[in-house]
Amino acid sequence: LLLGGGLALETVTALAGGPRGAAFTLGAVAAAAALYHGLVHWNRVRTAISDPGDWLNGVSATAAVVALGNFLVRAEPGTHAWWGAQLGLLRLAALLVALGTAGTVLTIAGLRRDRRAWVVAAALATTAAVEAVTLLTDAGGPRDGTGTAPTSLVVAAWAGLVLVVAAQRVGRARALPPEDASSQTTTVGAVVVMVAGVLLLAADTLRPGDHWTSSLLAAAAATGGGIRVLRLVTELAQLASVRQEARTDPLTGVANRRALVESVEALADAPRGALLVIDLDRFKEVNDRFGHAVGDGVIRTVAARLEGALGGHGLLARLGGDEFAAVLRDADPDAAVALAHRLLAAVARPVQAEGRAVRLEASIGVASSALGVRALGGLLRCADAAMYDAKQAGGGVRLYDEDADARAHAERELRDALRVALDRRGGDAHGRLVVHLQPQVDLADGRVVGAEALARWEHPERGLLAPAAFLDLAEENGLMTPLTWHVLDQATRAAAGWSAAGHDLTVAVNLSTSCLAHPGLVGAVDDALARSGLPADRLVLEITETSLMHDPELAVDVTHRLAARGIGISIDDYGSGYSSLSYLNDLPAEELKLDRSFTARATTDPRTRAIVSGTVDLAHHLGLRLIAEGVEDEATHVLLRELGCDRVQGYLHGRPVPAAEFARWLDDRRAERAAPVRGSAV
Ligand code: C2E
Ligand code: CA
Ligand code: CA
């Protein structure tokens, strides 16, 4: 459209006898400018760098080319030839600038495979060649007095160019995904223009008797290019500071997670890289006690200390909250662990918060690419896992260890599954927590007088799990009380069922230390009794010596409250813990449960036998009954009876079995004993 307009205007002025070539040149240059804009836009969608100074570069470059042309052609100013040369030079300059831009775009925007880019460049080059040839021919000697009217060849070339470009629709090309482009390439163009302007200016000055056209244009080009460079440099500086900010943690000024990720990515091919994840222990307490402002100050202090301790050996980053990380580019596992200890020491020095000294500790996990952990996700995950391990162990430094990680992982899974299993809503996906019952037999007459409820986890994949597999886990994760309430509930219900079937039995439930200390214990026991309808004197609670000694005063208080209801208290594992005979006096116990280790050795070891015998005497003198657990054979059974033991429990009389099975067993046994069968051992 622009070129067509120029041609139309040219015809009108020619008919009116006006200056030749001016209108056509105007249209041609405007068309070239539009093309230039289109080319730049083509590039823009790729690089996403907004550059409003592009037009300045285009104008300056044009000025530089016209200046160069004048320098070379040297037509006499004011003449027709000079006038014609200026117009020709202007068009040629516009074409060359567009051609240069096409080249740049081809490179930067990665359009080398785009046929359209090549077609446009070829059309530009052809038109420029036609212009150059025409210009040189005309400058060589004007053929007529009218000077250099645009030849039909030039017009045809331009028209061809415009058609080709319109057919390619440059600038409306499908937007390519933006790339983080270097603005360097753009700067190079501006610098070239500026330098060219300056050189031309110098050359012009050195050549005596020259006129102003070339110098003026050269000066314009130099100035335009210069302004552009200045602008680009400012923009680059801004960009750099924005990038810096985007990679910095605002609170501490150290690198942020993003910068860390980049840096760890770079570690992927470092054979001796290491990643440390540093987490402050109990930092929440600092925040809670002193407020967040002080907490922030403490974090800043810690960051500065860590940076100091790192001593430029790596990059320190804050991952957020009270978590930091350090990337070491060149450190074997030993060196990384040693450094971690130095970081730990730096954190451990007291920090001043509101005039008070706060003591901090940290847990540090170390992952090393020398140990085969390479990928970014791998290093971060492993360092994190090691840190978690360190934290579990109460702080300190941990080097990532695959086995430990797998164990910790399995443990976490088991813990979560246990949580769900204990939660009744969890259904059966994670199995159920049930009780198995083991009979307790009176040594005097062989009657079953009680049963101990023992927890079992019916795990869907791992089968029936014994308490050893999950009790510690429950204790560590605060699941011991829900577990015990579960057991209490099932045990009391089972016992109520036996009673309804005419069996007169007590049921014993084990209490852990944490349950004994739980304020809701007495209430939970009352509830279980009320729900099941079991009389209180049918329930026995087994408490180990160790639990009782954990907080003797509390134990005395709680056991008294339980005993006041008629509940029996049994001192479990008696003889295995560190006993204090004096506390036995203060406890309202009714039973001592001799630890399995004594039972097992009583027949073979005379000294153990003496201990058992002495314990029987002690129990009886204190008005307690003695039950021996772990009775596995007939000989032990007989010996215990001889020694005066009251009751026994063990595989000899029955293994722990599910509640329903136990009830059936009780019925069968009653039927058996009712029938006059002789020779029964027990
Ligand atoms: P414990 O209280 O000493 O329970 C007796 C353990 O000895 C049971 O192991 C039982 O199966 C086992 N046992 C019984 N007779 C014999 C025998 O003749 N020979 C041998 N070698 N072992 C025998 P279990 O069921 O694996 O329970 C282990 C421990 O887990 C229990 O020791 C108890 O301390 C704890 N526990 C079980 N259930 C609970 C519970 O519901 N709450 C709490 N807090 N602890 C429980
Ligand atoms: Ca027990
Ligand atoms: Ca025991």
Side-chain angles (χ1 to χ4, degrees), residues 438-441 628-632 648-656:
Q438 185 178 32
Q440 299 176 331
V441 171
E629 62 178 7
V631 179
E632 293 182 349
V648 282
Q649 177 186 341
Y651 292 166
L652 177 68
H653 312 96
R655 292 192 175 248

Side-chain angles (χ1 to χ4, degrees), residues 154-212:
V154 168
V155 174
W158 272 95
L161 169 70
V162 166
L163 283 177
V164 164
V165 172
Q168 307 298 325
R169 291 159 67 91
V170 169
R172 287 219 223 144
R174 189 169 47 85
L176 294 162
E179 221 173 46
D180 207 13
S182 64
S183 14
Q184 265 169 336
T185 337
T186 347
T187 326
V188 168
V191 169
V192 167
V193 171
M194 183 181 73
V195 170
V198 170
L199 287 179
L200 274 170
L201 208 55
D204 255 0
T205 321
L206 290 176
R207 192 167 60 179
D210 198 30
H211 66 85
W212 53 269

